[in-house]
Amino acid sequence: MLSYSPAVWLLLATVLVQLFYVIYYFLPFANRPPEPNPNATQAQPVSILVCAHNELDNLRRLLPLLLKQDYPAGFEIVLIDDRSTDDSFLYFQQLTQYYSTVRLVTIASTPKGLAPKKYALTLGIKVARYPRLLFTDADCIPATDEWLLNMQAGFQRPANVVLGYSAYAAEPGFLNKLIRFETLVTGAQYLSFAWRGKPYMGVGRNLAYTQDVFHSTRGFASHIRSLSGDDDLFVQDAVGQGKRVTVVADPVAHTLSEPARTWTSWWRQKRRHMSAGRSYRAADRWRIGTFIGSNVLFHSISLTLLFFPSDWVPLAVLWALRTALVSGTYLRLSRRLDDPLPGALLPILDLVYFFYYLALGVSLFLYRNLRWK
C-alpha cells in the first residue's frame, strides 16, 4: 500500500472535488450546443435601463450603440441620472429632445440609509413602459447590434429572469489578464450552475427580468440597505420564489465592460461585489465555497509540500494532472465565451487569483465598511 503523508491524500481530495465541478458543470456548459436563433416574430417591446453617476464620456460611447440595436418590436432607453455632478444631465436632455425612445429619470439625492444604485434603479423601473426589462451599466457596451434581440429571446423559453455574460476589454498588463480571468471563473460558476438548474446570481451589466418578478419580490426591499446586490441578491430572491431563470451566453449577447486600471480600484470593486455573498442561501454558499475552498486548499498544500522532498513525486503528479484538467477547461470556456486568455499564463493566473480571493475574504471578515460612488 502506498505510504504518503496525510497532506498528499488531502491534496488528492481537492483534485477530486475540482474534477467533479469540471465534469458536471463547466465542461458540459462549455460544450453545449449553440443557442437557437431568436424568433423575431415573438419579440416584445423592452425597456433598457442604464443607471449612471458621472459617466458622461462612457454614455457618449454607449448610447449610440443602444440606439442602433436591431430589434423589430421596439424598445425604450430609460436613463437614470443618479446624482451626477458633471454634464450628464445636459447630455440626457439633448437625447430626450432628439429621440422619443429615450427617457430621463433624475435622482437629486438618496434617502439616508438606502443603497444609492438600488434606489435609483427602483425609480427607473417605476417609469419603465414595458413589462420586460434589460439592464446594463454606463461603462459597458453591447458586443453586437443583436444584443437586445438575443437577450430578450431568453424570455421565450420561457423564463422570468435572463442571465447574460459581461466580459472586460483586453488591455496590456498582468492586472487586466487577472481581472479577465476572475470574470471568466465567476462566469463559469454562475452560468454553468444556472444551466444545471442551480441559479444563484447574475451581473447587472447584462441582466434581464420582468416587471412582474420585480414587484413579486418587492424589488430590492430585502437588501435595500446593502450597497451591493442589485443583481445577485435580486436573483436570490427571485429563485427563492420559484421564478424561472435561463442563460443566454453566446457571444452575440455579451456586453463588454471597462476594467479597473489599478489594483486599488479593483480591490474596492471586488470587496463590494463579494460583500453580498454572506446573504446567499446556504446551499449556494456551500456549492460556491466548496469550489473556491478546494482551489485555495490545493494551492496552499502544494506550496507546503515543496518543503518535503519525500512527497515531491505525488505532488508533481497531482499538480500536473490538476493543472492540465483545470487549465484545459478554462481555455475551453474562454473560447466558448469569446473571452480568450493566454493558455500558458492560466496556471499563474489561477494561483494568484485564488490567493487574492482568500485575501479579499479575510479583508471582508475584518473590515466590513464599504464605499459607493
Side-chain angles (χ1 to χ4, degrees):
M1 181 176 178
L2 297 177
S3 178
Y4 296 127
S5 68
V8 171
W9 295 109
L10 184 57
L11 189 69
L12 174 61
T14 65
V15 174
L16 292 176
V17 169
Q18 291 166 60
L19 178 64
F20 166 75
Y21 280 85
V22 165
I23 292 176
Y24 186 74
Y25 289 111
F26 301 153
L27 277 181
F29 178 74
N31 294 326
R32 73 196 190 283
E35 290 158 9
N37 292 328
N39 187 341
T41 63
Q42 296 182 13
Q44 296 183 22
V46 177
S47 296
I48 304 174
L49 288 88
V50 181
C51 186
H53 174 78
N54 291 336
E55 300 274 9
L56 180 58
D57 291 339
N58 287 328
L59 289 166
R60 284 174 170 161
R61 183 180 65 151
L62 169 64
L63 268 299
L65 297 176
L66 293 183
L67 291 165
K68 291 179 182 177
Q69 288 296 300
D70 184 8
Y71 192 66
F75 63 94
E76 67 170 354
I77 301 172
V78 180
L79 298 175
I80 309 167
D81 180 14
D82 182 17
R83 303 164 294 120
S84 296
T85 56
D86 58 6
D87 291 330
S88 299
F89 180 75
L90 295 176
Y91 179 62
F92 289 159
Q93 281 190 319
Q94 292 173 355
L95 286 172
T96 57
Q97 291 173 2
Y98 286 104
Y99 299 98
S100 60
T101 55
V102 178
R103 304 173 65 200
L104 174 62
V105 177
T106 303
I107 312 297
S109 62
T110 303
K112 186 177 181 180
L114 302 188
K117 186 177 182 181
K118 294 175 185 177
Y119 176 74
L121 284 174
T122 299
L123 296 187
I125 292 170
K126 284 184 176 180
V127 305
R129 291 191 178 106
Y130 302 126
R132 294 180 176 181
L133 310 173
L134 177 57
F135 299 84
T136 191
D137 285 348
D139 61 351
C140 294
I141 58 171
T144 70
D145 61 2
E146 296 181 350
W147 165 68
L148 172 55
L149 178 63
N150 281 268
M151 282 297 290
Q152 75 81 34
F155 289 115
Q156 300 170 12
R157 295 184 181 176
N160 310 108
V161 180
V162 183
L163 309 180
Y165 182 72
S166 183
Y168 281 104
E171 297 177 356
F174 183 79
L175 175 60
N176 177 266
K177 292 178 177 61
L178 184 60
I179 290 173
R180 290 165 52 219
F181 177 79
E182 185 274 335
T183 303
L184 177 69
V185 174
T186 301
Q189 292 175 77
Y190 79 83
L191 293 173
S192 68
F193 290 3
W195 193 66
R196 279 293 193 184
K198 305 291 184 183
Y200 72 93
M201 68 163 279
V203 292
R205 305 188 301 275
N206 197 7
L207 177 67
Y209 49 82
T210 64
Q211 292 227 30
D212 285 343
V213 171
F214 184 79
H215 295 308
S216 66
T217 58
R218 298 178 61 240
F220 308 119
S222 68
H223 47 91
I224 191 66
R225 297 184 182 278
S226 173
L227 285 179
S228 61
D230 58 278
D231 41 21
D232 52 353
L233 293 185
F234 179 84
V235 172
Q236 287 274 313
D237 287 345
V239 172
Q241 288 197 355
K243 304 302 182 183
R244 291 168 296 191
V245 179
T246 194
V247 170
V248 176
D250 277 358
V252 70
H254 291 181
T255 60
L256 190 64
S257 303
E258 289 294 319
R261 297 298 197 283
T262 66
W263 288 88
T264 300
S265 59
W266 190 49
W267 175 270
R268 290 173 179 169
Q269 181 187 74
K270 293 311 301 176
R271 269 177 51 87
R272 189 171 68 246
H273 292 170
M274 287 179 59
S275 66
R278 63 175 70 99
S279 299
Y280 286 6
R281 293 167 298 167
D284 293 325
R285 293 201 305 270
W286 172 258
R287 192 176 298 110
I288 302 163
T290 300
F291 173 71
I292 297 295
S294 67
N295 280 274
V296 173
L297 197 58
F298 173 85
H299 290 303
S300 300
I301 296 173
S302 296
L303 292 176
T304 301
L305 289 178
L306 289 176
F307 296 96
F308 297 90
S310 61
D311 291 325
W312 281 357
V313 171
L315 171 62
V317 171
L318 290 175
W319 189 89
L321 174 65
R322 188 262 180 192
T323 298
L325 174 75
V326 172
S327 295
T329 300
Y330 289 155
L331 190 62
R332 172 63 181 148
L333 281 166
S334 71
R335 291 171 177 168
R336 186 67 170 82
L337 293 171
D338 195 27
D339 191 9
L341 286 164
L345 198 57
L346 286 174
I348 298 174
L349 294 170
D350 180 66
L351 174 67
V352 174
Y353 164 65
F354 283 106
F355 280 116
Y356 191 86
Y357 195 100
L358 177 62
L360 280 167
V362 172
S363 171
L364 280 171
F365 178 77
L366 296 176
Y367 308 102
R368 297 195 175 190
N369 292 332
L370 298 172
R371 295 189 301 171
W372 200 257
K373 292 181 181 179

